[in-house]
């Protein structure tokens, strides 16, 4: 596809107002010969004369006038698009924000996203990301930000918002020996084959999701990795595997083939974070972090009244 003759179009638009090559050149900052060359090039591109030139006057041909009438709205739209893009660039704004998620999108997040769309007049594209690869899509610029499990100990990443910490539960199938227990101790996990996230996450992150040993130093059995929560739940429901999950997941689960048991003695809790690339920080992302903070603060306040 040949290059669009933008300069020639601009020359024709100004020439139609000035009807004088000298004044047109002065307005555009070109030489008069340059204006003549651009108009001639545009005429060759269109395939007919657009301007009548005599020693006494300059005028548009009939075809030139019709062409200009069609051209003006399209050119005005193009100028408007460039101006809007320039203004968004100054504000660090995007028309579409890509957000990655691990697992479920909670109601508070959904409300915050609705407010975010309304405040910034943007569309939001939601993408599920692999359970064991929380940071790759962010660092590779495949998403603008992501709601992922913490920690995120990488100077290239910014944690814009930390969700409230959550207790962890052990998910097991209905036939598992632990299924009828009201609670298990972390030391009891030595007899469970724990499911772990599979992917390219750094070791510190994987260890934070599934500990390699109990507090007493006994190694835990970890033989199988999964890339999604649904894959993990299907494995748990149909085998003797167990999987550590957070309270919000438990509260929103309606599976009858999986039991969720509180775990006593785990070192630490489960916590999500809104994470983005440090060099991609924008007012929009900071605004999204603020909206999430407001929604979760309101939810916590409502639960305590």
């Amino acid at each position: 596809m040949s290059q669009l003759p933008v300069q020639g179009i601009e020359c024709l638009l100004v020439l139609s107002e000035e009807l004088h090559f000298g004044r047109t050149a002065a307005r555009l900052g070109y030489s008069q010969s340059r204006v003549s060359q651009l108009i001639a090039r545009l005429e060759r591109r269109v395939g007919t004369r657009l301007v009548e030139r005599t020693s006494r006057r300059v005028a548009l041909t009939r075809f030139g006038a019709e062409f200009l009438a069609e051209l003006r709205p399209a050119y005005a739209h193009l100028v408007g698009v460039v101006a809007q893009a320039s203004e968004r660039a100054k504000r660090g704004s995007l028309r579409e924000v890509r957000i990655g998620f691990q697992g479920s999108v909670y109601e508070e997040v959904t409300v915050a996203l609705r407010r975010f769309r309304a405040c910034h007049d943007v569309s939001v594209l939601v993408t599920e990301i692999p359970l064991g690869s929380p940071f790759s899509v962010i660092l590779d610029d495949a998403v603008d930000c992501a709601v992922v499990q913490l920690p995120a100990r990488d100077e290239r990443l910014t944690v814009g918002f930390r969700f409230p910490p959550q207790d962890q539960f052990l998910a097991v199938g209905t036939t598992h020996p632990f299924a009828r227990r009201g609670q298990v101790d972390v030391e009891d996990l030595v007899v469970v084959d724990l499911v772990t996230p599979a992917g390219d996450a750094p070791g510190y992150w994987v260890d934070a999701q599934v500990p390699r040993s109990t507090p007493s130093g006994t190694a835990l059995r970890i033989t199988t990795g999964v890339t999604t929560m649904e894959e993990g739940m299907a494995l748990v429901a149909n085998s003797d595997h167990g999987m550590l999950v957070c309270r919000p997941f438990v509260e929103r689960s309606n599976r009858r083939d999986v039991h969720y048991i509180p775990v006593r003695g785990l070192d630490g809790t489960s916590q999500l974070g809104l994470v983005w690339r440090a060099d991609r920080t924008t007012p929009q992302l900071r605004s999204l972090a603020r909206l999430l903070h407001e929604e979760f603060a309101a939810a916590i306040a409502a639960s305590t009244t």
Side-chain angles (χ1 to χ4, degrees), residues 3 14 21 55 66 68 72 74 99 114 138 185 189 191 193 208 213 223 228 240 299:
Q3 186 177 5
V14 175
F21 277 80
S55 59
E66 291 178 351
L68 201 62
R72 275 200 177 97
I99 304 178
R114 282 202 299 266
I138 304 172
D185 189 86
L189 298 182
V191 298
D193 190 350
S213 62
T223 65
T228 67
D240 288 334

PDB file of all heavy atoms in Angstrom, residues 3 14 21 55 66 68 72 74 99 114 138 185 189 191 193 208 213 223 228 240 299:
ATOM      1  N   GLN A   3       2.165   5.190   0.292  1.00  0.00           N
ATOM      2  CA  GLN A   3       2.069   6.130   1.399  1.00  0.00           C
ATOM      3  C   GLN A   3       0.979   7.169   1.141  1.00  0.00           C
ATOM      4  O   GLN A   3       0.833   7.691   0.042  1.00  0.00           O
ATOM      5  CB  GLN A   3       3.410   6.828   1.602  1.00  0.00           C
ATOM      6  CG  GLN A   3       3.459   7.717   2.835  1.00  0.00           C
ATOM      7  CD  GLN A   3       4.840   8.305   3.016  1.00  0.00           C
ATOM      8  OE1 GLN A   3       5.719   8.131   2.186  1.00  0.00           O
ATOM      9  NE2 GLN A   3       5.026   9.010   4.114  1.00  0.00           N
ATOM     10  N   VAL A  14      -5.260  24.182   2.299  1.00  0.00           N
ATOM     11  CA  VAL A  14      -4.882  25.589   2.496  1.00  0.00           C
ATOM     12  C   VAL A  14      -5.027  26.369   1.193  1.00  0.00           C
ATOM     13  O   VAL A  14      -5.512  27.503   1.180  1.00  0.00           O
ATOM     14  CB  VAL A  14      -3.437  25.690   3.036  1.00  0.00           C
ATOM     15  CG1 VAL A  14      -3.001  27.145   3.131  1.00  0.00           C
ATOM     16  CG2 VAL A  14      -3.330  25.008   4.390  1.00  0.00           C
ATOM     17  N   PHE A  21      -0.659  30.489  -4.488  1.00  0.00           N
ATOM     18  CA  PHE A  21       0.433  29.583  -4.127  1.00  0.00           C
ATOM     19  C   PHE A  21       1.407  30.235  -3.153  1.00  0.00           C
ATOM     20  O   PHE A  21       1.941  29.576  -2.257  1.00  0.00           O
ATOM     21  CB  PHE A  21       1.163  29.113  -5.392  1.00  0.00           C
ATOM     22  CG  PHE A  21       0.497  27.945  -6.072  1.00  0.00           C
ATOM     23  CD1 PHE A  21      -0.610  28.147  -6.890  1.00  0.00           C
ATOM     24  CD2 PHE A  21       0.963  26.662  -5.878  1.00  0.00           C
ATOM     25  CE1 PHE A  21      -1.232  27.076  -7.503  1.00  0.00           C
ATOM     26  CE2 PHE A  21       0.355  25.582  -6.493  1.00  0.00           C
ATOM     27  CZ  PHE A  21      -0.759  25.791  -7.304  1.00  0.00           C
ATOM     28  N   SER A  55      -1.929  32.649 -15.009  1.00  0.00           N
ATOM     29  CA  SER A  55      -1.106  33.756 -14.507  1.00  0.00           C
ATOM     30  C   SER A  55      -1.926  34.749 -13.702  1.00  0.00           C
ATOM     31  O   SER A  55      -1.376  35.577 -12.973  1.00  0.00           O
ATOM     32  CB  SER A  55      -0.443  34.485 -15.690  1.00  0.00           C
ATOM     33  OG  SER A  55      -1.442  34.976 -16.575  1.00  0.00           O
ATOM     34  N   GLU A  66     -15.264  18.773  -5.660  1.00  0.00           N
ATOM     35  CA  GLU A  66     -15.970  17.598  -5.148  1.00  0.00           C
ATOM     36  C   GLU A  66     -15.054  16.762  -4.255  1.00  0.00           C
ATOM     37  O   GLU A  66     -15.464  16.283  -3.184  1.00  0.00           O
ATOM     38  CB  GLU A  66     -16.481  16.756  -6.318  1.00  0.00           C
ATOM     39  CG  GLU A  66     -17.606  17.419  -7.104  1.00  0.00           C
ATOM     40  CD  GLU A  66     -18.035  16.577  -8.283  1.00  0.00           C
ATOM     41  OE1 GLU A  66     -17.352  15.567  -8.585  1.00  0.00           O
ATOM     42  OE2 GLU A  66     -19.060  16.925  -8.925  1.00  0.00           O
ATOM     43  N   LEU A  68     -12.501  17.806  -2.562  1.00  0.00           N
ATOM     44  CA  LEU A  68     -12.256  18.522  -1.309  1.00  0.00           C
ATOM     45  C   LEU A  68     -13.452  18.404  -0.359  1.00  0.00           C
ATOM     46  O   LEU A  68     -13.275  18.279   0.865  1.00  0.00           O
ATOM     47  CB  LEU A  68     -11.961  19.996  -1.605  1.00  0.00           C
ATOM     48  CG  LEU A  68     -11.220  20.755  -0.511  1.00  0.00           C
ATOM     49  CD1 LEU A  68      -9.844  20.149  -0.270  1.00  0.00           C
ATOM     50  CD2 LEU A  68     -11.083  22.224  -0.894  1.00  0.00           C
ATOM     51  N   ARG A  72     -12.598  16.969   3.398  1.00  0.00           N
ATOM     52  CA  ARG A  72     -12.568  17.796   4.611  1.00  0.00           C
ATOM     53  C   ARG A  72     -13.045  17.045   5.865  1.00  0.00           C
ATOM     54  O   ARG A  72     -12.371  17.108   6.897  1.00  0.00           O
ATOM     55  CB  ARG A  72     -13.394  19.064   4.402  1.00  0.00           C
ATOM     56  CG  ARG A  72     -12.632  20.192   3.745  1.00  0.00           C
ATOM     57  CD  ARG A  72     -13.296  21.532   3.998  1.00  0.00           C
ATOM     58  NE  ARG A  72     -12.517  22.618   3.434  1.00  0.00           N
ATOM     59  CZ  ARG A  72     -12.734  23.176   2.249  1.00  0.00           C
ATOM     60  NH1 ARG A  72     -13.731  22.730   1.501  1.00  0.00           N
ATOM     61  NH2 ARG A  72     -11.969  24.146   1.814  1.00  0.00           N
ATOM     62  N   ALA A  74     -13.111  13.849   6.558  1.00  0.00           N
ATOM     63  CA  ALA A  74     -12.169  12.793   6.914  1.00  0.00           C
ATOM     64  C   ALA A  74     -10.889  13.372   7.500  1.00  0.00           C
ATOM     65  O   ALA A  74     -10.339  12.851   8.482  1.00  0.00           O
ATOM     66  CB  ALA A  74     -11.841  11.938   5.675  1.00  0.00           C
ATOM     67  N   ILE A  99      -6.220  -6.029  31.832  1.00  0.00           N
ATOM     68  CA  ILE A  99      -6.014  -6.451  33.218  1.00  0.00           C
ATOM     69  C   ILE A  99      -6.002  -7.980  33.285  1.00  0.00           C
ATOM     70  O   ILE A  99      -6.931  -8.633  32.835  1.00  0.00           O
ATOM     71  CB  ILE A  99      -7.112  -5.897  34.138  1.00  0.00           C
ATOM     72  CG1 ILE A  99      -7.167  -4.373  34.026  1.00  0.00           C
ATOM     73  CG2 ILE A  99      -6.864  -6.312  35.578  1.00  0.00           C
ATOM     74  CD1 ILE A  99      -8.259  -3.744  34.867  1.00  0.00           C
ATOM     75  N   ARG A 114     -16.103  -1.125  37.144  1.00  0.00           N
ATOM     76  CA  ARG A 114     -17.190  -0.322  36.569  1.00  0.00           C
ATOM     77  C   ARG A 114     -16.942   1.164  36.819  1.00  0.00           C
ATOM     78  O   ARG A 114     -17.112   2.005  35.927  1.00  0.00           O
ATOM     79  CB  ARG A 114     -18.540  -0.746  37.162  1.00  0.00           C
ATOM     80  CG  ARG A 114     -19.104  -2.025  36.586  1.00  0.00           C
ATOM     81  CD  ARG A 114     -20.611  -2.097  36.794  1.00  0.00           C
ATOM     82  NE  ARG A 114     -20.953  -2.094  38.208  1.00  0.00           N
ATOM     83  CZ  ARG A 114     -21.158  -3.189  38.940  1.00  0.00           C
ATOM     84  NH1 ARG A 114     -21.043  -4.396  38.378  1.00  0.00           N
ATOM     85  NH2 ARG A 114     -21.485  -3.107  40.216  1.00  0.00           N
ATOM     86  N   ILE A 138       3.007  -9.419  32.757  1.00  0.00           N
ATOM     87  CA  ILE A 138       3.190  -8.007  33.108  1.00  0.00           C
ATOM     88  C   ILE A 138       4.512  -7.503  32.540  1.00  0.00           C
ATOM     89  O   ILE A 138       4.571  -6.466  31.882  1.00  0.00           O
ATOM     90  CB  ILE A 138       3.162  -7.813  34.633  1.00  0.00           C
ATOM     91  CG1 ILE A 138       1.882  -8.371  35.235  1.00  0.00           C
ATOM     92  CG2 ILE A 138       3.318  -6.330  34.983  1.00  0.00           C
ATOM     93  CD1 ILE A 138       1.872  -8.392  36.749  1.00  0.00           C
ATOM     94  N   ASP A 185      -3.904 -29.425  61.267  1.00  0.00           N
ATOM     95  CA  ASP A 185      -2.692 -28.700  61.644  1.00  0.00           C
ATOM     96  C   ASP A 185      -1.721 -28.736  60.471  1.00  0.00           C
ATOM     97  O   ASP A 185      -1.731 -29.678  59.657  1.00  0.00           O
ATOM     98  CB  ASP A 185      -2.054 -29.341  62.873  1.00  0.00           C
ATOM     99  CG  ASP A 185      -0.920 -28.493  63.424  1.00  0.00           C
ATOM    100  OD1 ASP A 185      -1.192 -27.575  64.227  1.00  0.00           O
ATOM    101  OD2 ASP A 185       0.244 -28.744  63.031  1.00  0.00           O
ATOM    102  N   LEU A 189      -0.088 -31.895  57.097  1.00  0.00           N
ATOM    103  CA  LEU A 189       0.032 -31.834  55.644  1.00  0.00           C
ATOM    104  C   LEU A 189       1.096 -32.773  55.096  1.00  0.00           C
ATOM    105  O   LEU A 189       1.172 -32.981  53.874  1.00  0.00           O
ATOM    106  CB  LEU A 189       0.345 -30.393  55.207  1.00  0.00           C
ATOM    107  CG  LEU A 189      -0.718 -29.331  55.546  1.00  0.00           C
ATOM    108  CD1 LEU A 189      -0.285 -27.964  55.011  1.00  0.00           C
ATOM    109  CD2 LEU A 189      -2.077 -29.700  54.976  1.00  0.00           C
ATOM    110  N   VAL A 191       1.116 -35.835  55.061  1.00  0.00           N
ATOM    111  CA  VAL A 191       0.516 -37.020  54.442  1.00  0.00           C
ATOM    112  C   VAL A 191      -0.304 -36.647  53.203  1.00  0.00           C
ATOM    113  O   VAL A 191      -0.951 -37.524  52.614  1.00  0.00           O
ATOM    114  CB  VAL A 191      -0.371 -37.773  55.452  1.00  0.00           C
ATOM    115  CG1 VAL A 191       0.457 -38.271  56.631  1.00  0.00           C
ATOM    116  CG2 VAL A 191      -1.525 -36.904  55.939  1.00  0.00           C
ATOM    117  N   ASP A 193      -0.527 -35.035  49.305  1.00  0.00           N
ATOM    118  CA  ASP A 193       0.213 -34.668  48.095  1.00  0.00           C
ATOM    119  C   ASP A 193      -0.342 -33.322  47.632  1.00  0.00           C
ATOM    120  O   ASP A 193      -1.426 -33.240  47.046  1.00  0.00           O
ATOM    121  CB  ASP A 193       0.024 -35.728  47.013  1.00  0.00           C
ATOM    122  CG  ASP A 193       0.957 -35.529  45.832  1.00  0.00           C
ATOM    123  OD1 ASP A 193       1.615 -34.473  45.761  1.00  0.00           O
ATOM    124  OD2 ASP A 193       1.020 -36.423  44.964  1.00  0.00           O
ATOM    125  N   ALA A 208       6.015 -19.282  48.742  1.00  0.00           N
ATOM    126  CA  ALA A 208       5.021 -18.558  49.528  1.00  0.00           C
ATOM    127  C   ALA A 208       3.620 -19.123  49.328  1.00  0.00           C
ATOM    128  O   ALA A 208       2.774 -19.032  50.224  1.00  0.00           O
ATOM    129  CB  ALA A 208       5.031 -17.077  49.144  1.00  0.00           C
ATOM    130  N   SER A 213       8.144 -27.300  53.385  1.00  0.00           N
ATOM    131  CA  SER A 213       8.251 -28.105  54.603  1.00  0.00           C
ATOM    132  C   SER A 213       7.359 -27.524  55.684  1.00  0.00           C
ATOM    133  O   SER A 213       6.909 -26.378  55.597  1.00  0.00           O
ATOM    134  CB  SER A 213       9.701 -28.174  55.091  1.00  0.00           C
ATOM    135  OG  SER A 213      10.175 -26.870  55.413  1.00  0.00           O
ATOM    136  N   THR A 223       4.040 -33.146  44.136  1.00  0.00           N
ATOM    137  CA  THR A 223       4.393 -33.872  42.911  1.00  0.00           C
ATOM    138  C   THR A 223       3.717 -33.340  41.652  1.00  0.00           C
ATOM    139  O   THR A 223       4.152 -33.659  40.546  1.00  0.00           O
ATOM    140  CB  THR A 223       4.028 -35.363  43.046  1.00  0.00           C
ATOM    141  OG1 THR A 223       2.601 -35.507  43.169  1.00  0.00           O
ATOM    142  CG2 THR A 223       4.708 -35.992  44.254  1.00  0.00           C
ATOM    143  N   THR A 228      -4.316 -23.566  36.320  1.00  0.00           N
ATOM    144  CA  THR A 228      -5.530 -22.809  36.654  1.00  0.00           C
ATOM    145  C   THR A 228      -6.143 -23.376  37.930  1.00  0.00           C
ATOM    146  O   THR A 228      -5.904 -24.533  38.296  1.00  0.00           O
ATOM    147  CB  THR A 228      -6.585 -22.884  35.536  1.00  0.00           C
ATOM    148  OG1 THR A 228      -7.072 -24.229  35.429  1.00  0.00           O
ATOM    149  CG2 THR A 228      -6.010 -22.435  34.194  1.00  0.00           C
ATOM    150  N   ASP A 240      -6.364 -38.105  45.619  1.00  0.00           N
ATOM    151  CA  ASP A 240      -6.031 -37.859  47.022  1.00  0.00           C
ATOM    152  C   ASP A 240      -5.180 -36.611  47.204  1.00  0.00           C
ATOM    153  O   ASP A 240      -4.607 -36.403  48.265  1.00  0.00           O
ATOM    154  CB  ASP A 240      -5.286 -39.078  47.601  1.00  0.00           C
ATOM    155  CG  ASP A 240      -6.213 -40.268  47.789  1.00  0.00           C
ATOM    156  OD1 ASP A 240      -7.433 -40.041  47.967  1.00  0.00           O
ATOM    157  OD2 ASP A 240      -5.735 -41.417  47.745  1.00  0.00           O
ATOM    158  N   ALA A 299     -16.243  -2.427  52.032  1.00  0.00           N
ATOM    159  CA  ALA A 299     -16.713  -3.788  52.325  1.00  0.00           C
ATOM    160  C   ALA A 299     -16.330  -4.199  53.732  1.00  0.00           C
ATOM    161  O   ALA A 299     -17.124  -4.824  54.451  1.00  0.00           O
ATOM    162  CB  ALA A 299     -16.136  -4.757  51.301  1.00  0.00           C
TER     163      ALA A 299
END
